[in-house]
Amino acid sequence: MAPPSPEIPNLQGTQHKRVTVHNSHGEELVGVLHETNSLELVIICHGFKSSKDRIPMVNLADAFEKEGISAFRFDFAGNGESEGSFQYGNYRREADDLRAIVEHFHEEERFIATIVGHSKGGNVVLLYASSYKDVDAVVNISGRFNLERGIEGRLGRDFKEKIKHDGFIDVRNRKGRFEYRVTEKSLMDRLTTDIRGACQNIPNRCRVLTVHGSMDEMVPVEDAMEFAKNVPNHKLQIIEGADHEFTSHQDELSSAVLAFVKVDLRGNYMAMPSQSCKPSGHIHSRL
């Protein structure tokens, strides 16, 4: 299991705004808007037991900001500053959280240029694109294709027998401190989430980029190959030497994601899902 990357504090400044949105369960989701006054907006989703304030979420938002593209990074319910209790699994519910964020910015007459997700967030943005079909570009960074893998590393080899016997497994850190509880229900939520089916159900008009590090020890690079086989309109980019969080390859990651997003923004990005979205009061990005 790869060690966690260091926390990156919120950057202070007039361009960074704290924004709260309520999800369908009434929980407050907290995010940071990197505001450039562009009409288009990129939404960035974090991974498992992570937050909006960790790499690569902050670095990606900063990279978009430097290009004049507004970006919003937020915490899923039960993570970071957002309300709610942390739940293992929760892929589809986090896609619903993302839906609340998208609808909020549609109401503010913003064009959602791309949704970006890292690790588990990569699965969430793909599930979102499959379910709601209202985005034209998705970036999956280090997502896991086979959700049956990677469980033993956290829960132990006998996790199925143990959870059947006890009804739950408490996960502890290396110092023995309790981190979170996995119930049989939450485990089944993960195991019954059909990533292959979701990928195949993404509309062909939706462009998908998968970026993966060749030295990712948490999610094998072979998973990225499976996304390439199953997503209709897909581009795959492997970054040589990069780990799961692209710790020493942040510039390469940002460059790959920016290049992909700019393709859509050079085109007719005014074709919004919501017909009420207008460019009034906004300026365009520096593309």
Side-chain angles (χ1 to χ4, degrees):
M1 182 173 175
S5 59
E7 292 272 345
I8 298 178
N10 285 344
L11 301 175
Q12 301 298 319
T14 56
Q15 296 293 76
H16 297 164
K17 303 176 182 179
R18 180 184 172 92
V19 175
T20 59
V21 176
H22 284 89
N23 65 13
S24 60
H25 300 275
E27 297 161 331
E28 189 175 78
L29 307 177
V30 180
V32 174
L33 176 63
H34 293 236
E35 181 64 271
T36 68
N37 293 318
S38 65
L39 174 65
E40 61 270 18
L41 176 74
V42 173
I43 299 175
I44 302 171
C45 304
H46 65 77
F48 179 80
K49 289 292 288 183
S50 186
S51 80
K52 65 184 180 307
D53 298 325
R54 295 175 70 88
I55 60 171
M57 279 61 71
V58 173
N59 286 351
L60 283 169
D62 286 344
F64 282 113
E65 182 182 341
K66 289 174 183 176
E67 291 291 320
I69 304 168
S70 295
F72 183 68
R73 51 187 172 90
F74 74 100
D75 294 324
F76 287 112
N79 293 267
E81 295 183 87
S82 291
E83 292 180 344
S85 59
F86 173 81
Q87 299 291 329
Y88 186 82
N90 248 23
Y91 289 83
R92 286 159 288 208
R93 180 160 169 171
E94 289 188 356
D96 289 341
D97 281 356
L98 177 54
R99 178 63 173 172
I101 299 296
V102 170
E103 289 183 328
H104 170 81
F105 284 108
H106 278 171
E107 290 173 3
E108 298 220 333
E109 301 186 345
R110 304 298 285 262
F111 168 54
I112 308 304
T114 311
I115 52 175
V116 179
H118 173 251
S119 194
K120 183 185 178 185
N123 295 102
V124 172
V125 295
L126 292 166
L127 287 167
Y128 181 94
S130 173
S131 297
Y132 296 103
K133 302 179 177 17
D134 63 351
V135 291
D136 292 329
V138 172
V139 178
N140 160 38
I141 303 169
S142 305
R144 186 184 292 279
F145 185 83
N146 187 346
L147 294 183
E148 294 183 4
R149 294 178 182 171
I151 299 176
E152 289 185 0
R154 289 194 173 98
L155 306 187
R157 291 185 177 181
D158 60 344
F159 70 91
K160 289 184 179 179
E161 293 79 9
K162 187 174 182 181
I163 210 162
K164 284 280 187 186
H165 182 268
D166 298 332
F168 65 90
I169 295 175
D170 285 342
V171 177
R172 300 180 182 276
N173 62 19
R174 293 177 181 177
K175 295 182 179 180
R177 294 177 182 173
F178 173 82
E179 288 196 331
Y180 56 92
R181 172 166 289 185
V182 179
T183 63
E184 186 173 7
K185 180 181 178 180
S186 62
L187 175 62
M188 291 308 298
D189 180 279
R190 171 167 174 159
L191 293 176
T192 58
T193 298
D194 184 7
I195 295 300
R196 182 186 302 275
C199 287
Q200 294 173 350
N201 196 42
I202 295 173
N204 189 64
R205 63 172 174 75
C206 180
R207 300 166 54 244
V208 176
L209 169 68
T210 291
V211 187
H212 214 101
S214 67
M215 300 300 289
D216 189 335
E217 296 182 354
M218 184 172 291
V219 179
V221 71
E222 288 77 18
D223 280 42
M225 312 299 184
E226 291 301 314
F227 285 116
K229 294 176 185 176
N230 286 277
V231 177
N233 187 357
H234 187 272
K235 177 181 179 181
L236 174 62
Q237 187 155 348
I238 306 298
I239 297 183
E240 291 299 323
D243 62 15
H244 187 65
E245 293 195 325
F246 299 82
T247 306
S248 301
H249 296 78
Q250 289 294 302
D251 289 343
E252 293 97 320
L253 174 62
S254 296
S255 295
V257 175
L258 281 168
F260 176 80
V261 173
K262 285 180 181 179
V263 170
D264 266 0
L265 295 186
R266 290 191 188 105
N268 183 21
Y269 63 82
M270 293 301 295
M272 303 182 189
S274 171
Q275 294 300 314
S276 64
C277 296
K278 301 179 181 67
S280 174
H282 299 279
I283 61 172
H284 295 240
S285 66
R286 297 188 296 271
L287 294 178

